[in-house]
Each structure stands twice: as C-alpha cells, then as structure tokens.
C-alpha cells in the first residue's frame, strides 16, 4: 500500500470535482475547492474520520468494497479506478468485476438528472449506482452482496420483494426479467458469472425454471410500471433506458406518467430519508 501516494491522489481528485457534478449545491459561502471531506464520506457511505485518515496517510488498508465506493463518489474514470486499486495495494477487479463499477459517464448523467429518479444497472440486473431521488423512491440497492445483488434473484427467491409491485403486474415482470437474462446468456454464453447465476436460479425457483424453458428473449428499452411505495401508495412511472454500446450497463430513468405520479414523487422528496429508513426492505424492481 502506497499511503502517501494514495492520500495525495484522493485529495486531488476530491478537490477537482465540482459539487454540482454530484448533485450538491455550490453555495456562495463555500470556501473549499471541490468537495468537502464530509461530502465524500456521505457519497461513499463511510465515516468522515476514515476519509480524513486516508487523506492524511494514516489509515489502515481500505477494502476493495471501500475502494469501489470511493471510485463512485469521486467519479473516477476506469483508468483512475485501476490506479486507485494499485495505490491501495489491491489488484484491480477482473473484467467482470470492473463491469460492476458504473461507468463514469453514466454517473455524470445520473447526477445531472437531479430530482428525477434514475439508476445504473449491469446487464445482469445489479444496481451499480442510484441517485438520491431513486433511493427515496425504491430504497437503497447498491450494498447487497452475493446473489442478492441481482434483481432477478431476489424477485424469484424472496416473496416479500414482490410487495413493491401490484399483483396484476407481477406475472409480466417475471417474464421480462427472464427474457432479459436470456438475451444476456446469448451474448455471454461461456461467462461463469452468467451461467452460475442461471444455474442457481433454476435450482431455487420453479417459476423461473418454467419461464426459462419457454425461451423468450427481449431487451427492455422502454416500459411503464407501477411502484407501490410504503408511504404514498401506487406511483405509475415511465421507464426509459439508455444502454452502453456493448450492452453491459444501462442508465434507467423513471419519469411520472401523470400528474398524480408527479405529485407523489414530490411528496416523497419532502418526506425525505427519515420516512424511508434503510431498515425497510428495498423495493424490488427499480427498472420495471
């Protein structure tokens, strides 16, 4: 671990980011160049004290999970992220692992959307990043581990997850998830991450096995869905998807389908995070 170089790199990257790039208001009294340490800590989901110790070269070796969170918070490019891992004494994630880090360009677009709920997904349905508006709408999705990272796995193995969607839409959603995975399996037929997930899903869910056998294939690019929010009830949303050229990641933007949905989204923002604590199970299908 190269503590001095790591400290210098993190400090300079923090100072190079404009607050507006990460959705933070740049008020007239701000004296700090770039982000404050507490803002980096908030964005990365870690303590301010640890960020301070990292920048003062006094920290223990950060884990790969913390490095990934810092990469997202500081909007690092792929090359910068690789450099960060090297400085911290870790090997950069392999190709599949790197794909699990949201691309810097998509992160910038996510920030620019402001109060419009949006998220970045991998092609396997792992939430790589989400803005605050989406977290308030659907819960926090980026900290799960193992197979629970994947929307489809939770959908087919955890009955409580379906409470976030009306009963009349659940069958269609199941088919969409399976058809999406079929498309991914066709593009990545020998990828052990894909084949392993599919094997475990078929072992865990009779419904998944039945739908998988029908061999439906479809990549969702636009959709209309209904989210059942625990505080404001049903919200009808239009979903638009922007995909990367290799189809490995996508930016999903959720906009209100009518005036009632717009009012409910505004109410959710007013209620804030104190009305939707992290202990509440996150809603299952942020991308429809």
């Amino acid at each position: 671990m190269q503590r001095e170089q790591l400290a210098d790199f993190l400090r300079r990257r923090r100072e190079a980011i404009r607050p507006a790039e990460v959705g933070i208001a740049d008020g007239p009294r701000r004296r700090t160049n770039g982000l404050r340490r507490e803002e980096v800590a908030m964005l990365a989901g870690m303590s301010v004290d640890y960020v301070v110790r990292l920048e003062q070269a006094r920290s223990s070796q950060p884990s790969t999970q913390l490095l990934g969170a810092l990469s997202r918070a500081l909007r690092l490019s792929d090359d910068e992220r690789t450099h960060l891992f090297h400085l911290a004494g870790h090997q950069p994630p392999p190709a599949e692992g790197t794909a699990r880090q949201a691309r810097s360009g998509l992160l910038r677009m996510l920030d620019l959307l402001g109060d419009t709920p949006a998220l970045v997904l991998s092609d396997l349905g792992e939430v790589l990043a989400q803005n605050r508006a989406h977290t308030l709408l659907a819960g926090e999705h980026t900290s799960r581990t193992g197979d629970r990272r994947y929307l489809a796995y939770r959908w087919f193995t955890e009955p409580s997850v379906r409470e976030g969607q009306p009963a009349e839409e659940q069958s269609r959603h199941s088919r969409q998830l399976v058809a999406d995975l079929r498309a991914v399996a066709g593009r990545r037929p020998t990828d052990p991450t894909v084949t392993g997930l599919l094997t475990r899903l078929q072992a865990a869910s009779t419904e998944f096995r039945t739908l998988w056998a029908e061999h439906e294939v479809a990549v969702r690019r636009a959709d209309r869905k209904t989210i059942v929010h625990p505080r404001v009830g049903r919200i009808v949303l239009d979903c638009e998807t922007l995909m990367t050229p290799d189809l490995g990641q996508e930016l999903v933007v959720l906009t209100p389908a009518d005036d009632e949905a717009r009012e409910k989204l505004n109410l959710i923002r007013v209620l804030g995070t104190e009305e939707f604590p992290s202990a509440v199970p996150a809603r299952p299908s942020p991308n429809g």
Side-chain angles (χ1 to χ4, degrees):
M1 178 178 172
Q2 303 174 58
R3 283 187 173 81
E4 295 291 342
Q5 293 296 319
L6 176 63
D8 183 67
F9 180 65
L10 290 174
R11 185 170 57 252
R12 290 181 182 276
R13 292 313 308 146
R14 173 176 62 81
E15 292 173 351
I17 298 178
R18 292 175 300 174
E21 292 182 69
V22 294
I24 296 174
D26 189 0
R29 296 184 179 181
R30 176 178 288 270
R31 298 177 182 177
T32 305
N33 290 329
L35 297 179
R36 300 185 178 102
R37 291 189 180 100
E38 57 266 29
E39 291 166 342
V40 172
M42 176 191 68
L43 292 168
M46 60 183 64
S47 71
V48 178
D49 178 67
Y50 192 70
V51 173
V52 171
R53 286 187 284 122
L54 278 170
E55 290 197 3
Q56 294 179 349
R58 298 187 294 110
S59 72
S60 58
Q61 184 182 34
S63 67
T64 56
Q65 291 80 9
L66 283 178
L67 293 175
L70 282 168
S71 297
R72 291 189 293 270
L74 296 173
R75 303 307 190 245
L76 300 185
S77 67
D78 292 345
D79 291 337
E80 290 170 333
R81 185 169 57 239
T82 296
H83 184 61
L84 175 67
F85 271 75
H86 282 309
L87 293 178
H90 290 289
Q91 284 297 314
E96 192 277 330
T98 300
R100 289 181 52 217
Q101 299 285 345
R103 293 188 177 187
S104 55
L106 294 182
L107 287 173
R108 285 192 288 272
M109 295 177 68
L110 194 68
D111 293 329
L112 291 172
L113 287 165
D115 289 336
T116 301
L119 67 158
V120 179
L121 286 170
S122 73
D123 59 355
L124 282 179
E126 179 182 3
V127 180
L128 305 178
Q130 56 187 144
N131 61 9
R132 181 177 182 272
H134 184 267
T135 301
L136 293 176
L137 172 67
E140 202 283 323
H141 283 262
T142 61
S143 61
R144 291 179 172 84
T145 59
D147 285 333
R148 297 193 71 251
R149 302 194 313 262
Y150 305 111
L151 298 175
Y153 193 87
R154 297 201 305 278
W155 179 262
F156 286 105
T157 63
E158 300 178 19
S160 62
V161 168
R162 302 196 181 200
E163 295 173 2
Q165 194 156 10
E168 64 272 16
E169 293 187 12
Q170 291 179 12
S171 176
R172 180 174 69 94
H173 186 64
S174 294
R175 288 186 172 276
Q176 287 177 330
L177 287 171
V178 176
D180 263 346
L181 286 176
R182 267 290 183 187
V184 177
R187 294 194 302 271
R188 299 162 58 185
T190 62
D191 188 325
T193 301
V194 179
T195 57
L197 175 62
L198 295 175
T199 297
R200 294 188 296 276
L201 267 171
Q202 292 185 74
S205 170
T206 300
E207 180 187 9
F208 182 85
R209 287 197 304 274
T210 300
L211 293 174
W212 187 256
E214 296 183 14
H215 211 122
E216 294 182 0
V217 182
V219 178
R220 282 173 293 173
R221 293 179 173 83
D223 195 11
R224 174 166 288 190
K225 62 168 294 182
T226 303
I227 284 182
V228 181
H229 189 275
R231 299 293 298 177
V232 303
R234 294 189 176 202
I235 310 174
V236 183
L237 301 165
D238 288 322
C239 310
E240 292 292 339
T241 301
L242 174 65
M243 295 184 176
T244 56
D246 63 358
L247 303 182
Q249 294 186 12
E250 57 191 49
L251 175 69
V252 181
V253 182
L254 307 176
T255 56
D258 51 35
D259 289 340
E260 181 182 2
R262 185 174 295 104
E263 291 175 0
K264 288 184 176 181
L265 286 179
N266 289 336
L267 178 57
I268 290 172
R269 287 195 291 272
V270 171
L271 291 173
T273 52
E274 68 273 11
E275 297 291 348
F276 196 70
S278 58
V280 175
R283 296 309 173 191
S285 51
N287 71 319

